[in-house]
Amino acid sequence: MHKNKENKILESKLNKVSIALKQSIKNLDSYTHVRGESLYVDDINIRQGTFHGVVFDSPKAHGKIKSIDYSKAEALEGVERIFTYKDIPGKNEIGGIIADEPLFAEDEVHFWGMPIALIVAESEFIARKARGLIEINIEDLPVITTAKEAKAKGSFINAPRFFSLGDTEKAFQECEYVFEGETFSNGQEHLYIEAQGAYAEPLENGNIKITSSTQGPTSVQKTIAQVLGVAMHKIEVDVTRLGGGFGGKEDQATPWAVMAALATYHLSQSVKLILNRHDDLRMTGKRHPYESTYKIGLSKGLKILAYQTEFLQNSGAAADLSPAIAERTLFHATNSYYVPNVTTKVLSCKTNLPPNTAFRGFGGPQGMFVIESAIAKAAHEIGVSAKQIQEINLLDEDDTFSYGQIAEKVEAKNTWNSAKNIFSSDALEQEVAEFNRNNRSFKKGLSFMPITFGISFTNTPMNHARALVHIYLDGSIGISTAAVEMGQGVNTKMMQIAADVFSVSIEKIKIETTNTTRVANTSPSAASSTADLNGKATLMACNSLLERLKIVVSEDLDVSEEDNITLKEEVVFVNGQKSELSWTELISSAMIKRVALTENAHYATPEIHFDKTKEKGHPFAYHVYGTAITTVTIDCTRGTYEFDSVKIVHDYGKSMSEGIDLGQVEGALIQGIGWMTMEEIAYNEDGKLLSNALSTYKIPDIFSVPKTVEVIPVETEGNDMAILKSKAVGEPPLMYGIGAYFALQNAIKAFNPNYDLQFHAPMTPEKVLMSLYKN
Ligand code: MTE
Ligand code: HPA
Ligand code: MOS
């Protein structure tokens, strides 16, 4: 009874939402989220007799396996079976880009937490208990934990990559100022609320269905097929939604799904495998730590004439997505600035950490941190503000990026100047200066952080998507795409597109689960491109259906196809006049006329290309721009700090869902601030993760959120390559968080005149305290 009442309230809310459709729509998932009704892997009703899996992983970062004794574990009551590499019927190989990663270790282990076996038991509790009974003997091999050590030992994932523009050597000779330095940015734990997991079920004829918490259902399908040695059509992967991915489930959701499928393959029984938080933290990779060196050269007038870097990416023990991430570091190495002479190099260094992986920004933030450090260093040495250097060098229309793309519809200066004007930055700077003059034990710092982020998968062939749209005979609509809902609101955006084309209310539209049998051969939901790619395909499919329906209208109402036939709020209009024909009648009529009410469309981003042999091309459909102004106050007695405000002018294009997009900017900003200021991944020299729980790994909480976060959309035309001109928003705003680092540096400088800037993120309160009193 109660439920009914609640549902009525929900329905009336949904109605309101659909009226307010276009701009101010909320993420429609929030209703099921707050009611606890959203379904994650762990919420699936499991079949009777389902087994539960726990992974046995390496207790050493590098070594030779001398012996493993499973006998006590196997003897434990309730343990069904323990699977190792020996049980793999196909290939023991899960590497996505490079085939260098086994599912289970064979005779060597390469990182602490590397999977060795899967224990399958009647309950997770029993499986976990069995894990404690396994005895393993490993002969130690030397452990590499840092990129620098790996470089010194020649330990790499692949060949280095270089981008270059102009003549850097020559340009440095013409510079008035040249500065060199080193930077470090640490990794970052994704900490998606829903840990990695999958549920596998046997179907008929040896087919298997897997429900996986993955951003990339096709990778999961392909890898399971490869490991089991079966064809892809035998494997169905379904994704309801993710409790967050942030890149951590682009590639690294796969092993757990493969393990569950492997056990199901052998046992012909359902198997559920969900990592607990400790296991997830230990076994999965994170954002890549980078150790980098830079050299920056400026003219007397502060123009950056030359920039050179070497990025050392700590890739971990296998390639995973590291090569693609390294590439994006190069794409974003000059951030929002035009630099005529650039030489950038990146080395993916093989270490004995878990393979590091995609994380919001995908190597871009690491690249941008270095040029912002170089600019801060130059400003400090020359005795000007970083802002002056930043401002003079902002990208302009028709400037060339180091990778050959010509900058078009550039909003770098527009967002910068708008931020200055809208937020009265001069007054803000004066306030900070005055505060610093009047206070000894508290100091404020301010920074500007412009961002420029390229939208598209950097790997051109990945930029495609399909949509399958059904109009059911009652006029309701079901949409399947490759888009995975992970909290970013993509399902709502897909609904909006269909609602917009057909002018039907949101309640008539359902976004189906992401399933490989309905939409095949998909790219992962990533690169901030999910809404663009899947949205464009959805738009195409809906438009084709609409064209077909217009023919039905012309027959039914006896009007010419040339007449202007439109749909408005579920009624057909002809030449602006309301007709008798409703949406549902139109669909019934189309059914009777045997018109196809299903459409499948394929979209591939036009114009983009990139030639890796030359490292030149036009890899991005467009760029997203913005500028953030950050102010912080440090308590100079304690080293603690609070962000007073982050004021942002952001380029949404023409946002199709302002509420969702604002949520993305705010979330990304806080995640960026966390990375830059407090989240400190620590491994000991043996390669053991020390920050292995939330007691030792600090992420931003409500108290770390800046007191004010203001986001103003810059008025732009949008971009035709963006869905409904609404630009991609998932990753770019993370890089506003880099401003937090430099605001802190400026506050420290205000307190300690001897302070020599440090570029070693995160800038934790401990580090701030030491810096305040360092001579
Ligand atoms: N927002 C939420 N709430 N949860 C997430 O996991 N992932 C981010 C971003 N925003 C993420 C998120 C990352 S890494 C990407 S690439 C994009 O969303 C993916 O979604 P999009 O392509 O639809 O922007
Ligand atoms: N971004 C995110 N994921 C990716 C990319 C990218 O550019 N390329 C391959 N996977
Ligand atoms: Mo996002 S790092 O491209 O999943």
Side-chain angles (χ1 to χ4, degrees):
M1 216 174 81
H2 246 95
K3 191 123 191 164
N4 265 339
K5 197 174 157 198
E6 276 172 29
N7 280 339
K8 283 249 163 61
I9 295 168
L10 175 65
E11 270 162 31
S12 75
K13 282 204 176 127
L14 283 172
N15 278 325
K16 281 206 193 96
V17 165
S18 59
I19 291 161
L21 186 63
K22 253 307 223 352
Q23 299 286 312
S24 58
I25 193 162
K26 290 205 176 81
N27 186 334
L28 293 168
D29 284 343
S30 35
Y31 298 103
T32 51
H33 286 350
V34 294
R35 293 151 66 105
E37 292 169 0
S38 301
L39 296 180
Y40 302 89
V41 175
D42 204 23
D43 298 312
I44 295 170
N45 280 326
I46 56 173
R47 291 202 209 174
Q48 207 164 22
T50 293
F51 289 115
H52 298 262
V54 166
V55 179
F56 170 64
D57 61 304
S58 174
K60 289 280 169 91
H62 194 196
K64 276 198 166 21
I65 299 176
K66 286 291 165 195
S67 63
I68 310 182
D69 183 356
Y70 292 109
S71 59
K72 286 187 193 135
E74 279 165 338
L76 190 70
E77 173 141 5
V79 170
E80 181 67 17
R81 201 168 143 182
I82 297 177
F83 296 96
T84 69
Y85 73 93
K86 291 180 185 150
D87 300 296
I88 291 176
K91 277 195 203 157
N92 184 20
E93 177 54 59
I94 59 166
I97 298 180
I98 300 176
D100 69 348
E101 189 177 359
L103 177 70
F104 291 126
E106 297 191 4
D107 27 75
E108 274 197 17
V109 288
H110 297 280
F111 64 93
W112 201 300
M114 181 174 181
I116 297 173
L118 179 73
I119 305 147
V120 173
E122 281 167 16
S123 73
E124 187 189 331
F125 179 79
I126 295 171
R128 210 163 275 289
K129 201 164 159 193
R131 181 166 78 178
L133 300 175
I134 298 173
E135 287 164 16
I136 185 163
N137 181 6
I138 294 175
E139 183 187 302
D140 287 328
L141 288 170
V143 172
I144 304 176
T145 59
T146 67
K148 255 192 201 160
E149 278 172 85
K151 186 190 168 194
K153 291 186 176 161
S155 169
F156 300 111
I157 296 286
N158 59 350
R161 293 278 297 270
F162 302 86
F163 281 11
S164 80
L165 180 71
D167 186 342
T168 315
E169 291 266 306
K170 190 161 151 256
F172 273 121
Q173 286 163 16
E174 288 157 14
C175 289
E176 175 80 11
Y177 307 108
V178 176
F179 304 103
E180 289 181 68
E182 280 188 6
T183 72
F184 173 76
S185 61
N186 206 334
Q188 185 176 22
E189 169 55 47
H190 302 87
L191 223 89
Y192 23 67
I193 293 179
E194 181 197 25
Q196 301 277 7
Y199 173 62
E201 299 167 77
L203 304 177
E204 293 174 336
N205 300 316
N207 301 326
I208 297 175
K209 178 178 174 186
I210 293 94
T211 306
S212 166
S213 180
T214 180
Q215 292 174 239
T218 291
S219 315
V220 170
Q221 181 194 19
K222 178 175 162 240
T223 312
I224 291 174
Q226 175 172 298
V227 171
L228 298 187
V230 302
M232 280 173 74
H233 71 283
K234 298 197 76 76
I235 308 299
E236 172 184 349
V237 180
D238 192 76
V239 185
T240 49
R241 68 173 66 254
L242 314 189
F246 305 110
K249 294 171 182 170
E250 183 175 337
D251 223 37
Q252 299 210 355
T254 302
W256 332 108
V258 179
M259 287 176 203
L262 175 71
T264 291
Y265 172 93
H266 285 290
L267 301 173
S268 298
Q269 181 55 277
S270 299
V271 175
K272 183 168 170 174
L273 168 56
I274 297 184
L275 302 188
N276 74 7
R277 186 62 68 184
H278 278 293
D279 288 356
D280 188 309
L281 291 172
R282 188 174 66 253
M283 295 178 197
T284 65
K286 306 166 198 321
R287 183 189 293 285
H288 295 76
Y290 272 59
E291 290 166 275
S292 312
T293 50
Y294 65 82
K295 183 173 170 186
I296 189 168
L298 301 93
S299 71
K300 205 163 176 199
L302 303 180
K303 278 267 178 200
I304 305 172
L305 298 181
Y307 183 58
Q308 187 181 321
T309 60
E310 182 179 83
F311 298 106
L312 300 185
Q313 177 196 58
N314 188 333
S315 312
D320 191 274
L321 293 164
S322 295
I325 291 161
E327 181 181 56
R328 200 179 262 279
T329 302
L330 299 187
F331 283 119
H332 296 309
T334 53
N335 188 16
S336 295
Y337 311 107
Y338 171 62
V339 185
N341 302 286
V342 183
T343 308
T344 50
K345 175 180 181 185
V346 63
L347 298 164
S348 292
C349 301
K350 191 169 181 166
T351 63
N352 298 109
L353 301 186
N356 286 315
T357 194
F359 196 135
R360 211 169 191 171
F362 207 73
Q366 290 96 320
M368 291 188 196
F369 177 68
V370 180
I371 190 151
E372 293 303 326
S373 299
I375 289 173
K377 171 80 175 173
H380 183 68
E381 296 294 334
I382 300 169
V384 296
S385 73
K387 181 188 138 199
Q388 276 174 275
I389 300 179
Q390 290 173 310
E391 187 166 79
I392 288 176
N393 292 286
L394 287 172
L395 268 173
D396 228 331
E397 204 64 15
D398 296 330
D399 281 341
T400 307
F401 289 102
S402 68
Y403 45 93
Q405 185 159 345
I406 308 294
E408 290 168 296
K409 299 191 175 166
V410 182
E411 301 292 344
K413 288 188 174 168
N414 187 13
T415 58
W416 178 281
N417 292 329
S418 302
K420 272 173 71 175
N421 296 334
I422 295 167
F423 303 125
S424 313
S425 68
D426 288 347
L428 212 58
E429 284 179 89
Q430 274 166 27
E431 271 170 43
V432 167
E434 195 180 315
F435 180 93
N436 288 344
R437 273 195 300 278
N438 296 334
N439 289 279
R440 174 69 196 143
S441 54
F442 288 84
K443 293 289 181 191
K444 284 190 191 287
L446 180 145
S447 74
F448 276 71
M449 180 66 202
I451 60 149
T452 298
F453 196 80
I455 301 304
S456 287
F457 286 96
T458 54
N459 184 23
T460 304
M462 291 173 79
N463 293 282
H464 60 84
R466 279 151 304 288
L468 177 66
V469 179
H470 299 312
I471 303 175
Y472 294 102
L473 54 87
D474 65 352
S476 62
I477 297 165
I479 300 175
S480 295
T481 70
V484 169
E485 177 57 60
M486 55 188 122
Q488 86 278 40
V490 71
N491 280 359
T492 303
K493 289 187 174 181
M494 296 302 108
M495 277 194 206
Q496 277 183 274
I497 292 163
D500 201 42
V501 173
F502 299 123
S503 197
V504 297
S505 72
I506 285 284
E507 301 89 273
K508 282 218 157 42
I509 303 167
K510 178 183 173 206
I511 303 300
E512 305 287 354
T513 61
T514 315
N515 186 298
T516 52
T517 65
R518 275 179 267 112
V519 181
N521 309 329
T522 65
S523 291
S525 286
S528 304
S529 302
T530 315
D532 277 3
L533 296 173
N534 296 279
K536 290 266 186 182
T538 302
L539 188 63
M540 287 165 73
C542 291
N543 278 333
S544 301
L545 286 164
L546 181 65
E547 287 313 307
R548 222 172 276 163
L549 291 170
K550 282 183 182 174
I551 298 170
V552 177
V553 172
S554 69
E555 290 169 9
D556 285 4
L557 297 180
D558 199 19
V559 296
S560 146
E561 280 175 47
E562 261 83 79
D563 283 315
N564 184 17
I565 298 166
T566 52
L567 287 162
K568 213 168 133 195
E569 289 171 8
E570 304 187 9
V571 181
V572 174
F573 281 65
V574 180
N575 295 326
Q577 296 292 309
K578 192 171 182 172
S579 78
E580 296 291 293
L581 195 60
S582 73
W583 165 257
T584 35
E585 287 162 348
L586 172 60
I587 299 307
S588 306
S589 170
M591 277 301 292
I592 290 163
K593 292 196 157 81
R594 297 186 292 171
V595 171
L597 291 174
T598 287
E599 185 65 20
N600 175 41
H602 172 82
Y603 173 76
T605 313
E607 290 172 36
I608 53 171
H609 56 90
F610 193 72
D611 181 347
K612 282 193 189 177
T613 63
K614 299 194 175 76
E615 301 290 28
K616 294 284 178 197
H618 185 109
F620 298 120
Y622 58 90
H623 289 83
V624 170
Y625 300 90
T627 298
I629 305 175
T630 304
T631 44
V632 69
T633 306
I634 298 184
D635 175 340
C636 300
T637 315
R638 297 174 179 82
T640 52
Y641 48 79
E642 263 188 321
F643 291 96
D644 305 319
S645 63
V646 181
K647 298 177 183 231
I648 296 169
V649 171
H650 185 78
D651 164 27
Y652 295 103
K654 294 229 172 297
S655 174
M656 65 186 286
S657 323
E658 283 169 9
I660 290 173
D661 288 353
L662 175 63
Q664 285 293 294
V665 173
E666 290 174 344
L669 167 72
I670 308 307
Q671 206 163 31
I673 293 177
W675 171 52
M676 281 280 108
T677 67
M678 67 184 77
E679 298 185 36
E680 195 164 32
I681 302 234
Y683 290 94
N684 71 10
E685 57 193 22
D686 298 328
K688 181 181 186 183
L689 181 69
L690 300 177
S691 48
N692 66 348
L694 284 176
S695 52
T696 46
Y697 186 74
K698 178 83 186 91
I699 61 155
D701 54 21
I702 193 66
F703 303 106
S704 351
V705 172
K707 278 185 251 165
T708 312
V709 175
E710 226 178 308
V711 187
I712 306 284
V714 67
E715 288 299 324
T716 72
E717 254 313 286
N719 192 299
D720 288 331
M721 304 274 260
I723 181 67
L724 303 179
K725 298 195 173 212
S726 179
K727 285 189 169 185
V729 69
E731 295 167 285
L734 181 127
M735 284 147 274
Y736 292 133
I738 296 172
Y741 188 92
F742 294 94
L744 280 169
Q745 295 294 310
N746 290 336
I748 298 166
K749 254 166 72 165
F751 181 82
N752 179 0
N754 296 326
Y755 179 57
D756 191 16
L757 301 191
Q758 276 182 45
F759 306 110
H760 197 279
M763 202 65 202
T764 56
E766 291 89 331
K767 268 199 226 157
V768 170
L769 190 64
M770 309 268 264
S771 306
L772 289 167
Y773 298 97
K774 199 166 169 183
N775 279 311

